[in-house]
Each structure stands twice: as C-alpha cells, then as structure tokens.
Amino acid sequence: MACPVFLFPAIRGGVSWRAVRSSWWRNAVFYQVYVRSFADSNDDGVGDLPGITSRLDYLRSLGVDGLWLTPFYPSPQKDHGYDVADYYGVNPEYGTLDDFGSLVEEAHRRGIKVLIDIVPNHTSSRHPWFEAALAGGDDQHRARYHFARGRDGAPPNNWQSAFGGPAWTQLEGAPEWYMHLFAPEQPDLNWWNPVVPAEFRKIITYWLDRGADGFRIDVAVSLHKRRDLADRPLVPHRITGLPTTAPGFEIIDQPEVHDVYRDWRHILGTYEPERVLVGEIFDAGRQSRYIKQDELHMAFAMMDRRWDASAWKRAIDVYRRAVSRSTSLPSWTQSNHDVIRHVTRLGGSGLGRERAKASALLLLGLPGQYFIYQGEELGLEEAFVPPERREDPLYIHTNGRHPGRDGCRVPMPWRQNEPNAGFSTSPPWLPTPAAWDRNAVDAQARSSTSVLSLYRRVLEMRCGLARRLPARMDWAAAPKDCLIYHRGPLSVACNFGHRPLELDQPADNGFAVAIRPGEESPMRLVEEDE
Ligand code: TEU
Ligand code: CA
C-alpha cells in the first residue's frame, strides 16, 4: 500500500542505516491469496489471475502492502499447485504469462508488492525431468531425484511421507523406489546434484525479471536430505510404548541448505527495489538459523496456541527471540491454506470470532510483519466439505483418517444473494456452504461492526501510526487472563478471560480490547482522538 513504513529495528552487523530505512517489507501487512479460491474472472468455478487483478482495489481498500500468491504454475493439481510441472509458466486454468504481467503491473500501480510461491523440494511427477527419469531410466535423469533399491521388497528406509505411508514408491516391475516426502505425485529433487541448484537459480531469476518482489519458499528447510539415507532410529513412545521416531535425528535441514539461500539472497541483492525471501519455517529454533542478513528475510510466526494468555505471551516471546540477533522482525500469522481456520480453532461461531478479532489486534500492534490468510478479514470459519467433494491429497492418502485441508480452501464469498456467494455462476471447485452468504464482502463492507470493517480500521490506524512506532515493545503488568504491552505511543490490551475487565492502564494513543461475553459489541477500539 501507499503507507510508507519506516520503523527502525536495532541495527547490527554492519547493515547500513539507509538499507534498513528503505526496507518496504519490515512491518508490512501481507495477504495470502489462495489462487484457486480467491476470484473467478470467467465463471468456470476456479479462481484465476485476472480474477485477482480485478480485486486489487478491494485489497488496496483493506490496506495491505503485499500479496503472496500460492503456486499458479502448470500442474496436474494433485496437491493444488504444489506439484509443479513447469516452473516457467502459468496453469492455463489460471491464465497466461501476460495475465501474470498485468497482475504485477496493476498491483505495483497501487503500491502493492507481489510475492510468488516457489516449490524447490519436489516437482510434479509430470515434470519433464521426472518423466524422462521414468521413461529412459538413464542415470543422468534419475540423479535429479532420489532413486534407491528397496530392502527385500520393502522401501529403502523407514522415512514417512507427510501425507501418510512410506516416503517411497516402487517403480512397477523394478527394484528401484523413488522418494517423496509428500504425495507420490511429488517426487523429491536431489539437491546434492548441482544441476538442481543451477536450475532454481534460473527459475528465480526468471520471475524476478518478470517483476516478482520475492518468494515464499515451500518446505524451505527440506532441500538436502541426509546423505546416507539412514533409517530414523525408533524409540518406545512415552505413553503408548509403541515404536516411534527418535527426536533429534534430522533427515532434512542439512547445513548445505544454508548455501542455497545465501546464493539466492545474493541474486536478489542484484535487484532494485529490494526483493525478499520468506521461508515456510514455523519452528523458532530453525528460524534463528535461517533468518539472517545473508539468508532469509522472514519466516512464519504461527500463532496457533490455545486461547490462554500465558501460552500466547510465551509464544510471542519465543518468536521475538528467534529473530533477535538479526535485523528482521517476526512475521505474525494465524492461518494459512494448510491449517484449520483460526476462528474455528479459537472456539468457533460468535466466541471464536470475537477471540479472532482480539488476537488480530494483539498481533497487529506488535513489531513485525503480519500475514493475513484470505477470508480471515471476513472472520470465515472452517467450512464443512462433504467427503465425496474433498480433493486434498492429505485426505486421500490417509484414507480419510485425516479430514484434509479443503475446509480452509473454500472459495471467497464476494456478494450476497448471488449463486455461490458471488464467487462464480458455475459450481465452484469446492462447494460454498449455504450460510456463507452472510459473510460476503459486500455485506460486511456495508456494516460498521463487521470483521472486515474492523480489519480496515485497524490497518489504517497501523499505517497512520507507523512512523511513530518503535521496533521495541514491553510487556506491562496485567490482571489475570490479560496481556498488556506498550510500544512507544501504542498500548494494547487483550482479555483472554470470560469476564469483562476494567483497566486502569490508560490506552491513550492506541487501541484496547476487551471481551465482554453476551454484549453486542464486545470489542473496544480506543483511537487517538478519543
Ligand atoms: O506445506 C508443508 C508442510 O510442512 C505442512 O504444512 C503440510 O501441509 C502438512 O505437513 C501436511 O500434513 C507445504 C504447502 O504449504 C502445502 O500446501 C503442501 O501440501 C506441501 O508443502 C507440499 O508441497
Ligand atoms: Ca476461472
């Protein structure tokens, strides 16, 4: 957005004042667009790039500084784009390269940056490299992936796929297996082979040249697997006694992964204005190793703790400490396309929504970036998707033991009293829940008490305060079930309890939150001029 953000974190390690000062991404608010479900321009039931372009004014009026687009590359969509068949194109369902160009141009015209998703851990099984590896069986192509012989008809080792079952699939009628830490349609690349890093250098340069402002890196720490492919040691489970994998034995996160990001950061450094790397890393310990002046700029401070003041305080401090030795700040987030929507996690319906409003304010006042997941600004809940309509490989490959992630990926409701809440005149790829009409953007825009109006107000206030907010915050003494912090002129209070709290802390220049169950408007926003 047009709001210039000039907040100065502690400057260490020889970063020039100018470099820090001119960083557009520090304290920015990003908005994650799940491309397939955001906006459908041609009414075929599937979101697309021109749809996003047509909604940029909505995103500008919301007040975001940047977008993260989930993968839009040609893909068989076995994991909805996280199975890339061609890293240099656009899935025809989503548009063309020209559509990408217009999207970037129009976003930039509105002062909005565009991050794209890069998937370096694995390709699609329909990527020409993997097809050649299977067809020819030649060593050169196979060496780009992990092929290994099985052990007496069993997989080469005991590693498991994140989607259930072994991380290996056997080739038909052959002794070899190939590795996939996710679905069988997502074979893992062999980053030890120099051809692979060389290809990704080309890919990121290609998109930087097309105007991308940076990358969200999928499963960022997994690129190099442990070289010996050794079995994970098994130990008896603490409670059940059943064999379980021993902690502290890394099959990913090898030291060489850091070389990749140092290399990418170097490439990014040759572009103006500054481009950024956001790693899909949630673990604070790992964040402290990867968020560095010469590696990643950001990673996700995922706030998925139970609704409890001390648990939230602890988590906030853990994530703040993780970046304390860098010039970066945490990137607060509560939801994405892989997790149950946080309104639902926090208790669902009215209560969950009020808590979600409070948690957003709590996090938006903190130093750092904030990542909104599309629909969060509407207070959307996890949707029920009938089992026969579910498409997530996590649901499919666990044979339904895991409900899958479709419930947070249901298309955006744009307009009330229209088919499929205004997303599309055709049935959307995932069905719109009947009651979603009332969540529609147009309805919420008309109401001053809607979640959307709250987000707009808070982002505007944040933008207005930006120049006066230091990178430092301090916790203040607070009553039980309550967190209070001060950050320069801003004071934020969040009530995690069930009873209304009267605070004697003045909330002079900032906003204060109080949850008053049973009241029509349980949230209080104290603005500067009140
Ligand atoms: O997710 C990687 C990841 O570690 C998880 O959040 C994953 O969804 C979970 O382990 C499943 O049990 C990324 C993407 O965000 C996700 O959508 C993809 O499915 C995954 O990588 C594979 O590309
Ligand atoms: Ca479409």
Side-chain angles (χ1 to χ4, degrees), residues 79 82 119 122 162-163 182 186 216 218-219 280 282 337-338 394 405 409:
D79 189 15
Y82 287 97
V119 189
H122 44 264
F163 292 155
F182 294 90
Q186 294 167 299
R216 176 268 188 189
D218 193 52
V219 281
E280 194 209 5
F282 302 107
H337 63 293
D338 291 333
L394 185 53
R405 301 163 294 179
R409 299 173 176 182

Side-chain angles (χ1 to χ4, degrees), residues 40-42 44 46-48:
D40 178 13
S41 68
N42 59 349
D44 63 353
V46 171
D48 46 58

